[in-house]
Amino acid sequence: MKLPATEVALLEAASATDPRTVEQLAEETGEKPEAVTRAAFELADEGLVAVEERTEESYALTDEGETYLESGLPELRLYRAAVEAGAADDPVSMGRVIGASGLEGPEVDIALSNFARKGLGRIDSGELSAEGDADPDADAETAALAAVAAADDPDPEVADRLAERGLLDRSEVTERAVTLTDDGVTALMEGVETAETVGQLTPEMLTSGEWEDVEFAEYNVEADAEPVTGGRSHILRQTAEAVKDTLVGMGFEEMDGPHADADFWINDALFMPQDHPARTHWDRFTLDVDPMDDLPDDLVGRVEDAHRNGVGPDGEGYHSPWSREFAEEVALRGHTTSLSMRYLSGYQVGELEPPQRFFSVEKVYRNDTLDPTHLLEFFQIEGWVMADDLSVRDLMGTFEEFYSQFGITDIEFKPHYNPYTEPSFELFGTHPETGEIVEIGNSGIFRDEVLEPLGVECDVMAWGLALERLLMLMYGFEDIRDVHGTLCDLDLLRNVEVVH
Ligand SMILES: N[C@@H](Cc1ccccc1)C(=O)O
C-alpha cells in the first residue's frame, strides 16, 4: 500500500492497544500536530486507524485577571478599606471608603457591583456597611485565579463567572487519540510504502512543469483554525433591526426625530401637567441650550387651553400654572412618545389621514439609578395605530402578534395610569431563567385631551416597549449590564446570533 509520508510515519508510531494523543505522535514522528491530525483523519477514512475526540475547557488569565491576582480583586480591596473605616460596626459614607480603597476609574464600578453579590456587605443610600463575618482571604474567585496561574484546574463554576467578568479567557481544546484498527495492523504487516505528496505549490514547480507529475496532499477542512474575533454588530443593534423588520412586516412606517427636544413635544402635548414629578430635575436631563422658540403657535395655544380648561363639555383641565417658557425648554427625551406627538400633530410630515401605523426603535434618556434592569439610556420601541373604533382588544392583539415573532407567547397585562392614555396597560413577560415577571412596556389609548389639540379626530392606540427587556426575555440575561459597559460578557457578544 502506498501512502503519503506523514501517514506512513503515523501508522508506524500508532499502537493497536494504547491510544496515543496527536501531541505524543507529533513528538514521536517529528511532524507538526496539524499534519498529524490531518493524516489521522485520512487514515481513519481508509479504516486504518480510529480517532477518538475529547473536548476539554482550558483557561488562561487575561491581563486584567493577572492585575487583580497581584493587586487583589477590586471588591476585596473595597471590603478591606470598609472594615478599616469601621463599616463592620456602622455604615460609612461610600465616597469615604472608595477614597480610602485607592480604587480608580472602572475598578470602582466593578468593586461596587461585586461587593453585594459576594455578600461582603450592603450599599444603601450612599452608605456602605461591611459584613463582619466575611473572609476576604477565602475568596473563591481569587483561589480560581491562582489555580489558573499555577496551571491547576479551577472550580468550573467559579471559572465561568470569572470568564464572564473578563478575568479569564476560556477556550476549548479538543484532544484526539489515535489507535490502529485491525485493518491498520494488517496493512502494516503487508508493508506500506511512502508515496510522495506535495503540500505547497511553488513558483519553481510551476516554471519547471514538475507540478504535472506530483501528487498533491488533500486539504483538511476539519483542521482547527484560530477563531477570528473581528468587529460585528452588537446584539442590541441586531435585535433592533429584527424589531424594525417585524414592524415593517406588520405594516408600520418608521418615525425619526430629535433626541434633544422641546418639553412641549416630550410632555405638554401629552397632557403631562407642568408640575408633574417626572418633569422635575430628578428625572430629566436638562440641557443648557437655547429654547425652541419656533413651536407652532396654534398648536401650543390649543395644548395650553387643554391644560388650563380641559377639552369637551366635561373637561376639567389642571387649573395649574402653565408657562410657554417651560414648554420651550430643551431636554433629552425621556420617551420617544415625543416623536409620536410630532407625527400625530402633522408637524413632522404633514397631516395624516387614518388609517396609519408608525413606529420607532430609538434611544431615550432617564435620570435613573443604574441597576440590573435599569440603564440611563435605553432603546424604546415606540408605536401607534390611528384608526376608527380601536379597542383594548386591538392593542392586546397587536402585542401578542408582535411578541410571538420573538418566541414570547405569555404576555400579561396590568391596568396602569398615564396622564395621556385612558385606559392604560403595562405589559409583562416571564423571565426564562428566573421565572420572575418582568415589566416590558407601557401602552394605552390616547385621551381626547391629547388628540383634540393635535387635531386628530379618530382613535389612536400607542405604546412604548423596552428593547433591552425584550432582549432579557429572549436570551435570559439577568443583568442588562451583561450587554453594556465595563461588565459586559464579551464571549456572548462575540458569539450570539440573533434569530427571529
Ligand atoms: N411613554 C410611555 C409609553 C407609552 C407610549 C404611548 C402610550 C402609552 C404609553 C413610557 O415611556 O413608558
Side-chain angles (χ1 to χ4, degrees):
M1 182 182 285
K2 271 198 169 187
L3 291 171
T6 314
E7 271 90 324
V8 174
L10 177 58
L11 265 189
E12 285 170 350
S15 145
T17 49
D18 173 23
R20 302 247 164 92
T21 64
V22 164
E23 287 66 33
Q24 288 168 337
L25 291 165
E27 197 159 299
E28 215 164 300
T29 58
E31 299 274 357
K32 288 192 183 147
E34 304 87 85
V36 172
T37 305
R38 187 197 54 74
F41 280 121
E42 288 294 328
L43 292 174
D45 275 349
E46 309 274 328
L48 302 178
V49 300
V51 181
E52 209 183 303
E53 298 197 351
R54 212 157 44 105
T55 305
E56 270 185 19
E57 304 258 301
S58 102
Y59 298 93
L61 292 178
T62 61
D63 288 346
E64 201 182 348
E66 217 151 300
T67 309
Y68 293 157
L69 183 59
E70 264 170 44
S71 65
L73 286 164
E75 64 272 21
L76 300 177
R77 288 166 58 193
L78 184 71
Y79 177 78
R80 291 197 171 97
V83 170
E84 211 146 287
D89 305 317
D90 288 309
V92 179
S93 126
M94 199 161 99
R96 225 183 86 204
V97 178
I98 292 171
S101 68
L103 292 165
E104 275 176 8
E107 285 185 346
V108 175
D109 263 357
I110 297 172
L112 291 174
S113 65
N114 288 292
F115 184 75
R117 173 177 71 82
K118 286 191 173 172
L120 296 169
R122 273 177 305 113
I123 301 165
D124 195 9
S125 344
E127 298 210 311
L128 196 146
S129 42
E131 178 57 60
D133 296 338
D135 181 1
D137 294 328
D139 181 61
E141 292 183 7
T142 308
L145 286 178
V148 172
D152 286 335
D153 286 337
D155 177 315
E157 230 167 82
V158 182
D160 276 351
R161 176 70 211 168
L162 287 171
E164 258 171 46
R165 286 184 70 172
L167 306 185
L168 289 182
D169 270 333
R170 181 176 31 197
S171 52
E172 291 203 332
V173 210
T174 306
E175 198 185 77
R176 300 195 172 90
V178 180
T179 333
L180 280 181
T181 61
D182 291 346
D183 282 353
V185 174
T186 314
L188 272 178
M189 287 196 309
E190 287 172 359
V192 285
E193 283 174 50
T194 304
E196 285 307 327
T197 60
V198 172
Q200 186 79 44
L201 184 61
T202 61
E204 290 74 33
M205 287 164 84
L206 283 174
T207 41
S208 69
E210 189 194 345
W211 65 273
E212 283 191 275
D213 304 319
V214 297
E215 196 184 324
F216 287 101
E218 280 176 40
Y219 280 118
N220 173 16
V221 291
E222 290 184 35
D224 290 333
E226 280 283 303
V228 180
T229 49
R232 69 198 299 260
S233 83
H234 190 270
I235 182 171
L236 206 53
R237 195 41 81 189
Q238 291 186 52
T239 310
E241 291 305 321
V243 167
K244 289 184 189 185
D245 285 350
T246 302
L247 288 170
V248 168
M250 287 168 72
F252 285 76
E253 285 175 66
E254 188 166 4
M255 300 185 286
D256 189 23
H259 292 239
D261 209 349
D263 249 89
F264 178 76
W265 295 116
I266 307 173
N267 289 306
D268 293 293
L270 281 159
F271 199 53
M272 294 274 281
Q274 291 199 334
D275 56 1
H276 191 280
R279 302 187 64 169
T280 67
H281 62 282
W282 289 110
D283 264 348
R284 70 186 217 138
F285 289 114
T286 311
L287 297 174
D288 187 11
V289 295
D290 291 340
M292 264 189 207
D293 53 12
D294 56 352
L295 298 170
D297 288 325
D298 288 359
L299 178 60
V300 174
R302 290 196 300 273
V303 167
E304 174 175 355
D305 191 49
H307 278 247
R308 289 191 189 279
N309 309 311
V311 303
D314 309 323
E316 274 286 337
Y318 291 122
H319 302 296
S320 62
W322 195 91
S323 103
R324 173 140 185 167
E325 284 70 50
F326 188 10
E328 288 176 354
E329 268 182 35
V330 174
L332 286 175
R333 63 187 179 207
H335 53 195
T336 34
T337 321
S338 52
L339 300 182
S340 302
M341 293 300 103
R342 282 172 166 267
Y343 276 68
L344 280 166
S345 68
Y347 180 78
Q348 199 79 8
V349 286
E351 211 147 299
L352 298 167
E353 285 299 315
Q356 297 284 348
R357 300 184 189 93
F358 274 88
F359 80 95
S360 65
V361 185
E362 283 291 345
K363 224 173 213 184
V364 299
Y365 310 84
R366 290 191 193 170
N367 198 358
D368 264 332
T369 305
L370 206 61
D371 72 20
T373 54
H374 290 91
L375 297 167
L376 275 66
E377 297 179 16
F378 61 96
F379 283 91
Q380 213 166 33
I381 308 169
E382 187 81 22
W384 52 264
V385 177
M386 175 206 263
D388 288 319
D389 296 325
L390 290 171
S391 74
V392 171
R393 297 240 112 246
D394 298 303
L395 196 60
M396 291 180 170
T398 306
F399 293 137
E400 268 159 18
E401 180 179 346
F402 172 75
Y403 279 106
S404 72
Q405 314 248 1
F406 297 92
I408 297 164
T409 52
D410 55 357
I411 299 299
E412 292 179 58
F413 299 90
K414 192 179 98 182
H416 182 59
Y417 173 77
N418 294 313
Y420 38 96
T421 49
E422 182 59 39
S424 312
F425 295 93
E426 273 184 335
L427 275 70
F428 295 84
T430 312
H431 193 284
E433 302 291 328
T434 63
E436 265 173 69
I437 305 288
V438 183
E439 190 206 319
I440 53 176
N442 176 14
S443 67
I445 297 184
F446 280 128
R447 308 168 64 114
D448 288 345
E449 282 84 347
V450 173
L451 294 181
E452 205 174 294
L454 296 176
V456 176
E457 280 165 8
C458 61
D459 292 337
V460 179
M461 61 185 202
W463 55 84
L465 316 173
L467 180 69
E468 283 81 354
R469 301 279 175 89
L470 170 64
L471 224 65
M472 293 177 98
L473 296 193
M474 285 170 73
Y475 303 101
F477 302 128
E478 285 168 45
D479 193 324
I480 193 58
R481 290 166 294 184
D482 282 346
V483 301
H484 273 305
T486 48
L487 304 177
C488 74
D489 181 349
L490 278 183
D491 244 10
L492 174 132
L493 295 183
R494 281 180 179 143
N495 298 316
V496 73
E497 286 301 333
V498 174
V499 278
H500 83 107

